[in-house]
Amino acid sequence: MINRIEEWIDDTNQKYQSQRSSCSVLESAFAGFYPSQFLQDSYFVVVDDIPKPNFPELREMGLGDFIDRPINGITYKDTYYVDRNQANNLQLHFHELVHVSQWDFLGPADFISRYINEIQVHGYDSAPLEKMAYTLDNHYFTGGAALDVPSYVQSKM
């Protein structure tokens, strides 16, 4: 199943490749939080509908609520997708970049496996990878001191 999800992700990222924007456009907003090179190597796509894999096997694994859950953004490897109505929401961009850091550190197979397991065991709102992203985006949004997010993510994994 992990391989099938990764293939779907690769196909999705390829499908939207021409619509990607480099996160380097967020460099001034996220100065001190994300290194310049990290932002240059990360991308976002503004979409009307957030792409999610909808395999029957995922529903059988108990992930139907996650698949059906309305969301404003989702991250696949170095690329995240944001709802057109949230395209200017810096807190959302910050949150999804935390996930890019997690993908980068864990690698695709381990991230997918861990994310699925956490959703199954803890539910979306209490999944540790999500809690980390929400904690960090709240730190940023409330004016917290700058910290190197990719290094922080690595130290907490």
Side-chain angles (χ1 to χ4, degrees), residues 2 8 10-11 20 41 51 54 58 61 97 120 143 148 150:
I2 302 300
W8 180 90
D10 290 342
D11 289 346
R20 294 189 323 172
D41 295 338
N54 189 7
L58 293 174
M61 295 169 67
L97 282 164
Q120 289 173 318
D148 183 319

Side-chain angles (χ1 to χ4, degrees), residues 1-60:
M1 178 52 60
I2 302 300
N3 289 337
R4 184 172 177 202
I5 294 169
E6 188 174 3
E7 287 175 16
W8 180 90
I9 287 169
D10 290 342
D11 289 346
T12 300
N13 284 346
Q14 181 63 37
K15 175 182 172 183
Y16 288 97
Q17 187 167 9
S18 66
Q19 297 171 47
R20 294 189 323 172
S21 296
S22 171
C23 292
S24 62
V25 300
L26 303 168
E27 191 166 354
S28 63
F30 296 154
F33 289 94
Y34 291 103
S36 178
Q37 189 63 52
F38 177 85
L39 292 173
Q40 288 175 25
D41 295 338
S42 303
Y43 306 90
F44 67 93
V45 181
V46 177
V47 293
D48 292 317
D49 295 304
I50 301 291
K52 290 192 234 176
N54 189 7
F55 307 140
E57 298 89 343
L58 293 174
R59 291 185 179 279
E60 291 167 13

Side-chain angles (χ1 to χ4, degrees), residues 64-154:
D65 287 346
F66 174 74
I67 294 168
D68 297 334
R69 179 186 188 108
I71 58 172
N72 292 319
I74 199 162
T75 302
Y76 301 126
K77 298 185 175 183
D78 66 353
T79 303
Y80 61 92
Y81 297 80
V82 294
D83 182 272
R84 186 167 310 285
N85 297 321
Q86 296 294 317
N88 295 319
N89 182 335
L90 286 177
Q91 188 171 4
L92 176 61
H93 284 273
F94 194 99
H95 179 99
E96 297 305 329
L97 282 164
V98 173
H99 289 311
V100 171
S101 296
Q102 294 167 340
W103 275 92
D104 187 50
F105 179 72
L106 292 172
D110 287 344
F111 180 90
I112 294 166
S113 177
R114 180 170 172 173
Y115 196 84
I116 288 172
N117 179 262
E118 288 184 6
I119 298 293
Q120 289 173 318
V121 172
H122 304 284
Y124 174 83
D125 293 322
S126 296
L129 290 171
E130 283 300 337
K131 285 176 71 172
M132 178 188 290
Y134 281 113
T135 297
L136 288 168
D137 79 45
N138 186 60
H139 175 81
Y140 167 77
F141 188 70
T142 58
L147 61 99
D148 183 319
V149 173
S151 294
Y152 178 87
V153 166
Q154 185 173 351

